[in-house]
């Protein structure tokens, strides 16, 4: 079993739709959760960074963490064609310093005008 | 603000040739530095990380090595490339020792012929 599972998609939705992206994980030691957006032939760009359970909102993006279910989500409201990219979830434990991030395999998202 | 540079962006090398990929970070001191490899349709795999000059930790045994000759410089090398070394190589940095997120460069796409 992989430590982090993410549906690779592809996911295609019309412009303006609400998008839900999800990851599940098996390691209860994970405490920090991230979502990265990656455009083709570019490096991942940090979108959201959350600690432990709860919600975090930044503009059109909302990250949710449910540690009891080992489940994290990223919601995109009013989706735009520019949101078309691969979205990667990542997580790590709580030990300070350099830490290995464990990534999902990424979900490819297309927003259709 | 901090920036990260990787070069070259694209590289085509014959099997058995040497490799040197360079990554530099600007705008911060004593960052944690990381090398990842991303295979097509898969998540990122951590190869090496460094918490300081000359300090390298390897995550997986392989044909590659890393060095950190200066505070903000991280180099990925190989003496003899294999076909299996093809991939997208990403450098990342984070502030240490607190639990700060990692930020990625735009990567080097390496093709071995």
């Amino acid at each position: 079993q992989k430590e982090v599972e993410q549906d690779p998609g592809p996911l295609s939705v019309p412009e303006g739709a609400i998008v839900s992206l999800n990851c599940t994980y098996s390691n209860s030691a994970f405490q920090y959760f991230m979502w990265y957006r990656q455009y083709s032939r570019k490096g991942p760009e940090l979108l959201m960074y959350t600690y432990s359970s709860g919600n975090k909102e930044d503009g059109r993006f909302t990250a949710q963490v449910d540690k009891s279910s080992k489940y994290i989500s990223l919601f995109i409201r009013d989706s735009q064609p520019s949101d078309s990219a691969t979205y990667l979830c990542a997580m790590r434990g709580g030990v300070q310093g350099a830490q290995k991030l464990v990534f999902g395999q990424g979900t490819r998202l297309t927003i259709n005008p | 603000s901090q920036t990260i540079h990787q070069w070259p962006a694209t590289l085509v090398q014959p099997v058995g040739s040497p490799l040197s990929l360079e990554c530099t970070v600007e705008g911060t001191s004593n960052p944690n530095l990381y090398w990842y490899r991303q295979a097509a349709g898969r998540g990122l795999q951590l190869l090496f990380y460094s918490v300081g000059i000359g300090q390298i930790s390897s995550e997986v045994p392989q044909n590659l090595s890393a060095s950190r000759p200066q505070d903000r410089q991280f180099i990925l090398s190989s003496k003899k490339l294999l076909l299996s070394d093809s991939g997208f190589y990403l450098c990342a940095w984070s502030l240490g020792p607190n639990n700060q997120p990692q930020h990625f460069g735009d990567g080097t796409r390496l093709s071995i012929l």
Side-chain angles (χ1 to χ4, degrees), chain A residues 8 18-19 29 35 38 47 60 70 77 82 84 92 102 104 113:
Chain A
I18 297 174
V19 176
W35 285 96
Q38 186 175 23
L47 279 178
R60 296 183 296 109
K70 296 190 179 66
R77 293 185 300 279
S82 59
S84 298
R92 53 168 282 185
V102 181

Side-chain angles (χ1 to χ4, degrees), chain A residues 8 32 34 36 38 40-46 49 88 92-101 103-106, chain B residues 32 34 36 38 41-44 46 49-51 59 88 90 96-107 109:
Chain A
Y32 293 87
M34 286 135 276
Y36 288 86
Q38 186 175 23
S40 180
R41 298 186 175 273
K42 292 290 188 180
E45 171 194 4
L46 181 68
Y49 181 61
L88 298 157
R92 53 168 282 185
V95 176
Q96 289 197 355
Q99 260 274 303
K100 175 182 176 179
L101 284 184
F103 283 84
Q105 66 179 106
Chain B
N32 298 321
Y34 311 82
Y36 287 86
Q38 186 176 30
R42 299 175 65 179
L44 280 68
L46 180 63
Y49 69 91
S50 171
V51 299
E59 281 293 306
F88 191 41
L90 290 156
N98 297 320
N99 292 306
Q100 296 297 314
Q102 294 177 22
H103 302 273
F104 288 83
D106 275 338
R109 189 161 302 278

Side-chain angles (χ1 to χ4, degrees), chain A:
Chain A
Q1 181 188 8
K2 292 181 181 178
E3 276 193 290
V4 179
E5 299 274 2
Q6 183 177 8
D7 187 338
L11 181 62
S12 182
V13 302
E15 182 176 356
I18 297 174
V19 176
S20 173
L21 304 168
N22 312 293
C23 288
T24 59
Y25 63 95
S26 58
N27 190 342
S28 58
F30 290 146
Q31 294 193 36
Y32 293 87
F33 304 91
M34 286 135 276
W35 285 96
Y36 288 86
R37 176 176 63 196
Q38 186 175 23
Y39 292 115
S40 180
R41 298 186 175 273
K42 292 290 188 180
E45 171 194 4
L46 181 68
L47 279 178
M48 302 290 280
Y49 181 61
T50 55
Y51 170 71
S52 196
S53 287
N55 293 0
K56 183 176 182 178
E57 186 174 323
D58 184 1
R60 296 183 296 109
F61 298 90
T62 300
Q64 284 187 354
V65 175
D66 182 348
K67 289 191 69 180
S68 63
S69 302
K70 296 190 179 66
Y71 188 88
I72 69 170
S73 300
L74 177 70
F75 297 96
I76 307 174
R77 293 185 300 279
D78 188 24
S79 55
Q80 305 293 312
S82 59
D83 296 327
S84 298
T86 296
Y87 289 79
L88 298 157
C89 65
M91 47 201 78
R92 53 168 282 185
V95 176
Q96 289 197 355
Q99 260 274 303
K100 175 182 176 179
L101 284 184
V102 181
F103 283 84
Q105 66 179 106
T107 299
R108 181 176 293 182
L109 173 67
T110 300
I111 308 298
N112 300 304

Side-chain angles (χ1 to χ4, degrees), chain B residues 44-63:
Chain B
L44 280 68
Q45 179 188 35
L46 180 63
L47 303 175
F48 301 95
Y49 69 91
S50 171
V51 299
I53 296 174
Q55 300 179 62
I56 309 294
S57 297
S58 173
E59 281 293 306
V60 292
Q62 58 207 319
N63 185 42

Side-chain angles (χ1 to χ4, degrees), chain B residues 10-27:
Chain B
T10 306
L11 188 60
V12 180
Q13 292 283 94
V15 170
S17 63
L19 173 74
S20 180
L21 302 181
E22 190 164 340
C23 170
T24 59
V25 179
E26 296 178 356

